[in-house]
Amino acid sequence: MEGREKRSPGYGFRPKLMWNTGVQEYLTRAYGAKQFDAICDALMRPCINSTLRVNTLQASTPEVIEQLYNVFRKNSMIMGTHRVGSQVQGLDESGQKQWLNSNTEGANASAEPNVEIGPNFPSNMTLKDGSAASTILESRESIDDKYRRVSAEFPDFSCWEHPVLKDVVMVGGRGPCEVDCRGEAGASVKEVVVSRKCAEAVLRGANVFVPGVLACSQHLEEGDVVAVTVAVERPDGGGGWSVGITRGTTLESEHAVIQMEGSTRSNYFIGMGRMMMSRTALFREIKGVAVEMTKRIFDLPPFHGVLEGQIFLQNLPSIVAARVLDPKPGERILDMCAAPGGKTTAIGILMKDRGEVIALDRSHNKVSDIKNLADEMKLNCIQAYKLDATKSVTQEPHIVLNGDTISPSKSSSDSTTANFSQAQIDSIKQPRHVSMSNKQSGTTTSSLSPYEIKAAARKELRRMKNRLASDKAALQRIKSFQPQSFDRVLLDAPCSALGLRPRLFAGELLRKSKQHFRTAQGMEFCAICVDKQYPTLSGLLRGQEETLETLRQHSCYQRKLLDQAVKLVRPGGTLVYSTCTLNPGENEAVVRYALDTYHFLSLMPQEPRIGGPGLVGGLDVFDGMSYKEWLREGEKHLVQRFSPGASYDTIGFFIAKFSVSLKMGQSRDDII
């Protein structure tokens, strides 16, 4: 058995990102060994500053900044001084950061210590309105005195307006920090082991929620101080990857010794926390905060429940993508793969809630999430629909009502939905549920065994996740759209997501596995389960690393989506394509496909421009099957590539903006 007295000294945050050999060779050749090493180092840690997009229809940026100071004062969640230079891996000792990118590669700007409003940035940069960036420096010096007083009152908390994106608030963090995992007087503390997905959220500032806990020490009680470690996927001996821990395992048991053999969790210590419930309650409940983090390896604040409806925690490149689309009030916009709705709501706010924003996703649960976020931000211009975006084009839109397909009249063909009578709406039946209630079964709660109670709770959770959000949702199942029916289309395509950070495993949970497993209670489930759906089974899930074959599959799927997107944009309209991956086969190669296939498409300059240039070449890089051309020399500055490890410290992201035009000799049929 692994004694606790031997556990503390060796614990630390020393992650190692394991890649498929073919993928690693491919990306190393694409980026060069030095840059790829820097990317891998950055991927294993979070962005050091949190990015909050302000709902400017509900509050101004200065108002949000003041409220954030009030929130952190009230909750006593003041972070450390904003001196990130000496604490963040990958930055030099002076803490240099490049918040904005002029078109010159390698331009840097020095960050001010104890920043009140924001770090410096290149003063010679030209903004969209033609003004010099130096004007922002002047305006920053004239900030209202009350904000300076607030900052002086809380010198350890950094919060400032982004120098270019005026609706964005940056909140400073720090790390990696030294955290002692020993208790008082050097005594050892108890331990909680969480899933890799949970750990990545904790590194971004979240607390530990119940579904993310896999195992823990015995005799845990509410209020106990615990060390939080991570169970990362590891080779299972059969050519795959698995966590290898059954949820509910006691770390002191012989069962745990067997399961933990070869475990590297001592290298994945992410901080100290306080138990919010006992061990018994922890594995009985299905939701809630299990561990409140008190000391973190990366000290980023949690924003769960903070200023709901006024701010949205979002990665900076995602905010830039919505800005690049440049939506205008009164336009009809399509967000093809919209979940969870961050870019959708950003578009609605940029349009000042005037016009029509159509958001699609093929999952009902995700459609409900989009609708809920739009309601939270009080946006009325957003309509969310369940639809497979690869089948989104037709000659006339249809709506499915109670299983019947209804076609709008010609006079309303430009509208997304038809006008239904109240009788039709009233005829919609409530979602059918198969109930196991006490009333139907004739049993009482006291007569049910603990297993039956847990089974009923799991079934109720599945029912709640899968039922329709409201009767209105039953109306909003559109079948397809007419070609050329949108002014602008945003295709934030599903991808390999290799740019997301922090990332402790270069792959994902299996999504389409035929493999089944059986629980100790004899219940059989498919490995398609994920933490949120079946939290009691999360430790049994298998991981799948990205391979060259899976990367090619992503690329093929993205081209299918792009084919649909091109048909939906009207002539003279705009199409923005984006991903959160590092794979050039899903980024530059898809842009090359679009330009070579659809000659009426052309790349457009992007504003704002914060990322770097795209990758040129590609014909000398083997992707496992062929050599695909990426961008050409004159095209690289027309796209934006955000690279982890660069001084602007963001996730990996890619944005391309196309204009759709009719060229001489072409007809509208060339587009559709």
Side-chain angles (χ1 to χ4, degrees):
M1 185 184 301
E2 186 178 309
R4 287 201 301 267
E5 68 277 358
K6 296 180 181 179
R7 182 168 61 229
S8 298
Y11 271 42
F13 188 70
R14 300 177 292 270
K16 183 178 181 181
L17 197 57
M18 302 294 292
W19 294 89
N20 171 273
T21 303
V23 172
Q24 182 170 354
E25 292 175 354
Y26 167 64
L27 293 178
T28 299
R29 189 166 184 105
Y31 288 96
K34 184 177 181 180
Q35 185 178 358
F36 184 64
D37 287 344
I39 288 173
C40 291
D41 180 68
L43 285 176
M44 292 182 289
R45 54 183 171 82
C47 304
I48 205 63
N49 296 298
S50 302
T51 309
L52 305 176
R53 177 171 53 80
V54 177
N55 182 355
T56 53
L57 301 181
Q58 302 297 324
S60 67
T61 301
E63 289 172 345
V64 165
I65 291 175
E66 184 176 20
Q67 290 183 68
L68 286 173
Y69 277 109
N70 291 335
V71 167
F72 281 86
R73 178 197 295 119
K74 179 179 179 181
N75 296 334
S76 300
M77 295 189 298
I78 306 303
M79 298 184 303
T81 303
H82 185 66
R83 288 190 178 97
V84 300
S86 62
Q87 298 168 7
V88 181
Q89 300 176 22
L91 300 184
D92 60 28
E93 294 181 356
S94 65
Q96 291 187 346
K97 297 179 71 67
Q98 178 184 346
W99 289 92
L100 302 174
N101 189 322
S102 63
N103 289 332
T104 303
E105 297 181 38
N108 285 310
S110 176
E112 301 172 0
N114 286 325
V115 180
E116 293 182 358
I117 303 300
N120 286 339
F121 56 95
S123 59
N124 61 349
M125 179 179 177
T126 302
L127 304 182
K128 182 177 180 180
D129 59 4
S131 61
S134 57
T135 59
I136 294 183
L137 294 172
E138 297 172 2
S139 65
R140 201 171 68 212
E141 293 172 355
S142 62
I143 294 291
D144 191 82
D145 289 340
K146 70 177 181 179
Y147 298 112
R148 295 189 181 277
R149 288 198 299 271
V150 171
S151 182
E153 183 180 355
F154 296 100
D156 290 339
F157 177 69
S158 297
C159 182
W160 67 92
E161 180 184 280
H162 192 278
V164 167
L165 305 176
K166 311 304 288 184
D167 60 342
V168 171
V169 173
M170 306 296 294
V171 178
R174 59 174 184 166
C177 305
E178 292 186 6
V179 178
D180 190 351
C181 61
R182 295 172 296 181
E184 296 182 0
S188 179
V189 297
K190 297 178 181 179
E191 180 181 356
V192 170
V193 181
V194 302
S195 68
R196 186 254 310 173
K197 280 288 190 182
C198 175
E200 290 171 349
V202 170
L203 290 171
R204 291 193 297 268
N207 289 310
V208 176
F209 285 78
V210 168
V213 178
L214 298 181
C216 64
S217 301
Q218 61 185 353
H219 307 311
L220 276 180
E221 298 295 337
E222 182 177 351
D224 284 353
V225 175
V226 294
V228 181
T229 60
V230 190
V232 178
E233 290 89 339
R234 49 198 170 114
D236 59 9
W241 298 74
S242 66
V243 175
I245 301 176
T246 305
R247 189 170 192 267
T249 296
T250 301
L251 293 178
E252 292 82 358
S253 67
E254 293 183 5
H255 179 61
V257 173
I258 296 173
Q259 289 194 332
M260 299 290 186
E261 184 179 1
S263 171
T264 58
R265 75 181 194 278
S266 62
N267 293 327
Y268 292 87
F269 166 70
I270 58 174
M272 302 292 292
R274 181 179 295 105
M275 290 297 299
M276 303 302 291
M277 58 183 67
S278 66
R279 175 187 168 85
T280 302
L282 174 61
F283 295 113
R284 183 184 63 215
E285 301 294 334
I286 59 176
K287 61 181 180 180
V289 177
V291 181
E292 182 183 52
M293 299 300 296
T294 55
K295 297 178 181 178
R296 302 169 182 269
I297 295 295
F298 287 92
D299 191 6
L300 278 66
F303 291 99
H304 180 71
V306 176
L307 302 184
E308 290 184 342
Q310 296 185 47
I311 61 173
F312 184 76
L313 182 64
Q314 191 170 17
N315 290 307
L316 183 65
S318 297
I319 299 174
V320 172
R323 286 282 193 142
V324 166
L325 185 66
D326 196 24
K328 306 295 184 184
E331 290 184 331
R332 192 169 191 240
I333 311 293
L334 176 64
D335 189 351
M336 287 187 69
C337 304
K343 298 181 189 67
T344 308
T345 53
I347 292 169
I349 292 170
L350 291 172
M351 296 172 64
K352 304 185 184 303
D353 203 21
R354 299 201 300 268
E356 188 177 17
V357 182
I358 307 299
L360 305 181
D361 199 276
R362 59 183 181 181
S363 163
H364 170 76
N365 295 330
K366 292 182 179 180
V367 170
S368 296
D369 291 341
I370 298 169
K371 291 170 60 63
N372 291 337
L373 181 59
D375 291 341
E376 179 182 303
M377 295 197 163
K378 300 180 181 179
L379 294 171
N380 299 314
C381 65
I382 295 173
Q383 299 293 326
Y385 298 94
K386 179 181 178 181
L387 178 65
D388 182 351
T390 62
K391 304 173 183 177
S392 55
V393 180
T394 192
Q395 293 300 317
E396 188 175 25
H398 299 79
I399 295 174
V400 178
L401 178 62
N402 286 339
D404 298 326
T405 301
I406 300 176
S407 298
S409 62
K410 293 294 184 180
S411 61
S412 61
S413 60
D414 290 338
S415 176
T416 305
T417 60
N419 295 320
F420 298 97
S421 67
Q422 188 61 42
Q424 287 175 312
I425 296 176
D426 293 340
S427 69
I428 299 178
K429 298 178 180 180
Q430 293 288 341
R432 182 181 179 183
H433 303 299
V434 180
S435 178
M436 292 278 295
S437 66
N438 295 338
K439 182 177 179 181
Q440 289 177 320
S441 62
T443 62
T444 62
T445 304
S446 60
S447 65
L448 296 176
S449 68
Y451 165 70
E452 289 173 324
I453 294 175
K454 292 181 181 179
R458 290 195 296 269
K459 191 164 188 176
E460 177 63 21
L461 178 64
R462 294 195 298 269
R463 182 186 304 136
M464 291 174 62
K465 290 178 68 65
N466 292 322
R467 71 185 175 197
L468 296 177
S470 64
D471 287 350
K472 184 179 179 182
L475 291 174
Q476 295 183 332
R477 286 175 175 245
I478 195 160
K479 191 172 182 179
S480 52
F481 299 93
Q482 290 181 345
Q484 306 175 9
S485 57
F486 292 94
D487 298 296
R488 302 173 195 266
V489 172
L490 172 62
L491 173 55
D492 185 44
C495 63
S496 56
L498 294 180
L500 294 185
R501 52 186 290 207
R503 173 177 289 278
L504 303 179
F505 176 65
E508 284 301 327
L509 292 174
L510 284 178
R511 290 190 176 93
K512 298 181 179 179
S513 175
K514 297 293 185 180
Q515 178 186 3
H516 285 70
F517 51 81
R518 188 172 295 273
T519 67
Q521 293 85 0
M523 300 169 61
E524 188 172 303
F525 287 89
C526 177
I528 197 173
C529 306
V530 295
D531 287 0
K532 290 183 179 180
Q533 290 175 310
Y534 301 99
T536 60
L537 303 176
S538 59
L540 298 174
L541 297 180
R542 294 169 56 84
Q544 175 177 285
E545 62 180 352
E546 290 290 353
T547 65
L548 291 175
E549 177 58 31
T550 61
L551 293 183
R552 284 196 298 271
Q553 292 172 0
H554 289 304
S555 177
C556 291
Y557 185 64
Q558 290 150 0
R559 294 182 185 204
K560 290 181 181 179
L561 290 169
L562 187 66
D563 291 338
Q564 297 286 296
V566 168
K567 297 174 184 178
L568 290 169
V569 186
R570 66 170 177 78
T574 300
L575 167 63
V576 169
Y577 173 81
S578 64
T579 73
C580 58
T581 185
L582 307 171
N583 176 22
E586 301 175 65
N587 296 331
E588 286 86 352
V590 173
V591 172
R592 177 85 277 128
Y593 164 79
L595 295 174
D596 291 347
T597 304
Y598 302 102
H599 298 292
F600 48 81
L601 291 181
S602 58
L603 286 172
M604 299 175 63
Q606 300 183 28
E607 292 292 346
R609 183 171 183 84
I610 297 177
L615 298 179
V616 174
L619 292 178
D620 60 340
V621 180
F622 186 59
D623 67 1
M625 180 175 289
S626 62
Y627 296 87
K628 291 185 174 63
E629 186 180 6
W630 302 335
L631 298 179
R632 296 165 187 169
E633 189 62 37
E635 299 167 340
K636 67 178 183 180
H637 290 295
L638 294 176
V639 303
Q640 292 194 72
R641 171 179 276 278
F642 294 81
S643 179
S647 51
Y648 39 70
D649 191 39
T650 68
I651 65 170
F653 207 84
F654 179 84
I655 307 172
K657 182 177 183 179
F658 301 93
S659 64
V660 181
S661 61
L662 281 176
K663 298 181 179 180
M664 185 174 298
Q666 291 181 325
S667 68
R668 294 174 65 89
D669 293 338
D670 293 328
I671 298 182
I672 63 175

